[in-house]
Amino acid sequence: MLPSMTVLLTLVSLTCGENPAIQVILKNKGLQYGKEVGAGWIQEKLELITLPDISGVIKLGFLGKVYYTLTGITITKCDFPEPTVEFYQDATGFKTSSLGLSVAMTGGWRTRFGIIRDHGSFNMAIFSMDVTSIVNLGKDPDGRLSVTSISCDARVGEVDIRFHGGASWIIQPFVDHFKGRIKSDIEGKICPTVEESILNVESHLQAMNVSFDVNQDLTIDLPLTGLPVIDASSLNLGLKGEFYSIKSPAEPPFEAQAFTIPEQQGYMLSMGLSEFTLNSASYGYFSAGLLKALINDSMIPPSSPVRLNTSSIGQFIPQLPKMFPDLLMSLQVYAREIPLFSFLPGAVKLGFQGAVKAFAIQANKTQTPLFKLNVDTQLSGKVWIASGKLKGSLKMDNFTLTLAASEVGPFKTDALEKYGRIGSMLALAKLNEILGKGVEIPRMRQAQLVNTVLQMEEGFIAIFSDAQVLLTLGGFN
Ligand SMILES: *[C@@H]1O[C@H](CO)[C@@H](O)[C@H](O)[C@H]1NC(C)=O
Ligand SMILES: *[C@@H]1O[C@H](CO)[C@@H](O)[C@H](O)[C@H]1NC(C)=O
Ligand SMILES: *[C@@H]1O[C@H](CO)[C@@H](O)[C@H](O)[C@H]1NC(C)=O
Ligand SMILES: *[C@@H]1O[C@H](CO)[C@@H](O)[C@H](O)[C@H]1NC(C)=O
Ligand SMILES: *[C@@H]1O[C@H](CO)[C@@H](O)[C@H](O)[C@H]1NC(C)=O
């Protein structure tokens, strides 16, 4: 019984998988922008680097062998035609080609022929170099993006080397004769270099975290939920996008629903954020018992006509000041249920089911329970992006207040409800002031989002954006 259950559960978890709550789609426009930034960066880099030494051996039949080393090779000029990069479905990755590269180099040469050693300098030009590389994008067991080289092909059209100094006049004719050999030595160096830089990118990816603490209470999990998906014009990454309470991590009683980001032309990136992500944060706060507050009279604005004491509250509950004359009160406000967001076309809704427990503060500081009210509100709002800032507004659609328990006997809640509604609306007005000012869209050290638009959809928010790289990609070397 047990083994078959295990098999069944394994099958279920394999087939159902987990829907990503965050999707990031790189469009061809973004890929081409990335290529331009990358090509500019490579061009800059190439002019600074010293290439690895090239060594080889030229066999001169019965005369023996000439061992040669080209060392301290630096690039003096590089003609770097625009490379091409495309989404490559066959390998679930990218195909990059650089065709017709020409490079002029200078450096030193050393030869050893029997016991004769010699050295000098050289100039070398490589013409019509073609490099094509195919990489595969995958996912490691921890959900990090991984990149592996699938194939690399390098061809050199022509090599011209001029030796100077030493006995170069003896060497030069041999070099001219064995140019084919030198050419293939150079060809042989290119792909290992390309593969090394892919490994370098891979090691940066491996060092990335898949979860981040957003504050002292919440952490967000962002591993890939499945393999990257590549089609002819885009790369789609699905991320888990789930918040957890740091103190009491647990799965919420709801799941991420599948969603499809609508097609929107002309942007580098599309992103989708499911309401699940926001609701998992809500659950994290709720399950850690953080959605509660204590209110006492000193927190009530001085201008308020109602004070938090038994005489003042007596206007709503006539028996209260008779039972507990002239005592200060305190309120315990908390969420009864997980506050849940729902995203709808053009709007976001938030249901909040809360409770308020009222206490009288006795002279000896004992808190005597008085009554408990259930407060249910329904809020709706909008979010949008304007001048690079994420803004929002909220309004209250519904506010109801009902008596859930009372230690002071029954009383009417109509008047309290009216005041509660006014109080909530004042608080909302303050909140809207803050939301109206907006918050900057988060930016990374090396890149920021520009031309960003946001669209509310059923169950998710879609964001379409271009990106701008700010600095050189200093992190990758
Ligand atoms: C990854 O997380 C660990 C532990 O939370 C932290 O020490 C480290 O700095 C993080 N690394 C990066 C690259 O953010
Ligand atoms: C009200 O609560 C605040 C913060 O918890 C506290 O500093 C203050 O002393 C309290 N005031 C009264 C009158 O209990
Ligand atoms: C209760 O509030 C009233 C105002 O409504 C105020 O005059 C009175 O001094 C307050 N009593 C206490 C004990 O704070
Ligand atoms: C505090 O005072 C109240 C009312 O006078 C009384 O009922 C209660 O027993 C007292 N509590 C303590 C711990 O003294
Ligand atoms: C407000 O809430 C009450 C009680 O839950 C409900 O009967 C009523 O339909 C709601 N009104 C709106 C506009 O949602």
Side-chain angles (χ1 to χ4, degrees):
M1 183 65 196
L2 201 60
S4 60
M5 275 298 283
T6 316
V7 169
L8 190 69
L9 285 176
T10 313
L11 280 178
V12 167
S13 65
L14 280 179
T15 48
C16 294
E18 173 177 32
N19 289 321
I22 295 179
Q23 290 184 50
V24 180
I25 302 178
L26 174 69
K27 300 295 215 171
N28 192 44
K29 184 185 175 191
L31 183 64
Q32 298 314 318
Y33 175 70
K35 176 198 73 178
E36 272 160 39
V37 172
W41 173 74
I42 289 171
Q43 174 111 48
E44 250 173 52
K45 271 278 208 212
L46 279 181
E47 284 163 14
L48 297 174
I49 57 169
T50 300
L51 295 170
D53 291 356
I54 299 172
S55 316
V57 61
I58 297 167
K59 294 197 187 85
L60 302 175
F62 63 89
L63 287 175
K65 296 168 180 170
V66 179
Y67 295 91
Y68 71 90
T69 302
L70 305 179
T71 164
I73 311 168
T74 54
I75 293 172
T76 50
K77 193 165 185 302
C78 180
D79 189 7
F80 191 53
E82 182 111 321
T84 61
V85 180
E86 61 195 76
F87 295 109
Y88 196 66
Q89 275 167 284
D90 294 354
T92 316
F94 302 118
K95 180 175 176 179
T96 313
S97 307
S98 250
L99 304 180
L101 236 95
S102 298
V103 189
M105 288 173 276
T106 174
W109 61 265
R110 277 200 314 267
T111 55
R112 186 161 61 78
F113 176 49
I115 54 159
I116 308 163
R117 287 165 192 271
D118 203 358
H119 65 91
S121 64
F122 75 91
N123 292 318
M124 174 159 70
I126 301 175
F127 302 104
S128 317
M129 186 159 88
D130 297 344
V131 186
T132 299
S133 151
I134 294 171
V135 296
N136 162 259
L137 295 179
K139 161 184 170 287
D140 81 358
D142 294 331
R144 289 187 194 87
L145 188 64
S146 70
V147 52
T148 34
S149 174
I150 292 289
S151 73
C152 174
D153 186 41
R155 306 228 174 280
V156 169
E158 189 60 50
V159 178
D160 187 35
I161 311 182
R162 299 279 131 210
F163 279 66
H164 309 286
S168 51
W169 56 277
I170 301 181
I171 310 239
Q172 188 70 44
F174 287 120
V175 167
D176 290 344
H177 193 254
F178 291 99
K179 223 155 54 178
R181 193 53 229 271
I182 295 171
K183 199 178 85 171
S184 63
D185 282 346
I186 294 170
E187 270 174 359
K189 281 274 174 191
I190 298 170
C191 282
T193 309
V194 168
E195 274 148 17
E196 203 177 297
S197 56
I198 292 167
L199 277 178
N200 186 31
V201 171
E202 170 69 1
S203 71
H204 275 93
L205 291 172
Q206 289 304 304
M208 275 168 73
N209 283 333
V210 288
S211 69
F212 304 87
D213 290 354
V214 289
N215 56 31
Q216 65 198 33
D217 302 316
L218 289 185
T219 179
I220 186 166
D221 257 18
L222 291 169
L224 292 169
T225 53
L227 289 170
V229 177
I230 295 251
D231 63 28
S233 65
S234 65
L235 158 67
N236 190 333
L237 302 176
L239 309 176
K240 188 173 181 191
E242 181 166 354
F243 286 99
Y244 289 97
S245 156
I246 292 173
K247 251 184 282 164
S248 53
E251 287 302 326
F254 45 80
E255 288 178 348
Q257 301 301 311
F259 65 91
T260 308
I261 302 174
E263 195 56 42
Q264 186 79 265
Q265 297 299 324
Y267 292 96
M268 295 180 188
L269 297 165
S270 303
M271 284 160 283
L273 175 79
S274 162
E275 61 190 19
F276 173 83
T277 298
L278 220 53
N279 287 332
S280 68
S282 193
Y283 177 72
Y285 280 124
F286 180 80
S287 60
L290 294 169
L291 295 181
K292 62 177 184 212
L294 269 174
I295 297 174
N296 62 31
D297 188 56
S298 54
M299 294 162 165
I300 307 285
S303 58
S304 166
V306 182
R307 306 300 323 165
L308 210 47
N309 68 44
T310 49
S311 350
S312 184
I313 299 298
Q315 59 187 298
F316 310 109
I317 312 168
Q319 68 272 37
L320 185 62
K322 295 188 191 108
M323 297 169 74
F324 299 95
D326 229 11
L327 290 180
L328 279 171
M329 289 171 63
S330 71
L331 301 177
Q332 217 180 66
V333 182
Y334 59 93
R336 291 189 340 262
E337 305 283 343
I338 312 158
L340 290 179
F341 293 87
S342 33
F343 292 169
L344 301 165
V348 51
K349 287 197 180 294
L350 170 63
F352 186 83
Q353 290 164 283
V356 179
K357 272 188 187 162
F359 298 88
I361 306 170
Q362 305 278 4
N364 61 12
K365 303 288 180 213
T366 303
Q367 306 245 354
T368 308
L370 301 175
F371 54 87
K372 180 182 154 191
L373 301 169
N374 284 347
V375 180
D376 296 324
T377 61
Q378 191 75 52
L379 301 170
S380 66
K382 289 188 194 316
V383 254
W384 66 92
I385 288 176
S387 37
K389 286 182 172 178
L390 183 66
K391 300 184 177 187
S393 75
L394 267 180
K395 70 180 174 53
M396 197 158 65
D397 292 339
N398 205 347
F399 182 97
T400 56
L401 189 148
T402 47
L403 186 60
S406 175
E407 281 82 8
V408 297
F411 57 91
K412 278 205 157 88
T413 54
D414 312 20
L416 267 178
E417 184 177 82
K418 201 179 101 200
Y419 271 97
R421 186 177 295 127
I422 292 170
S424 306
M425 275 156 68
L426 289 174
L428 264 188
K430 275 259 179 262
L431 186 60
N432 276 330
E433 227 172 83
I434 299 166
L435 291 175
K437 286 196 187 108
V439 290
E440 295 282 348
I441 299 171
R443 63 154 71 177
M444 286 170 289
R445 200 154 46 88
Q446 302 96 334
Q448 68 176 5
L449 297 178
V450 291
N451 304 332
T452 311
V453 294
L454 184 151
Q455 204 169 301
M456 303 279 324
E457 301 280 344
E458 180 87 41
F460 68 101
I461 294 178
I463 297 168
F464 305 98
S465 187
D466 285 337
Q468 194 173 35
V469 172
L470 301 169
L471 300 170
T472 51
L473 302 169
F476 292 92
N477 46 39

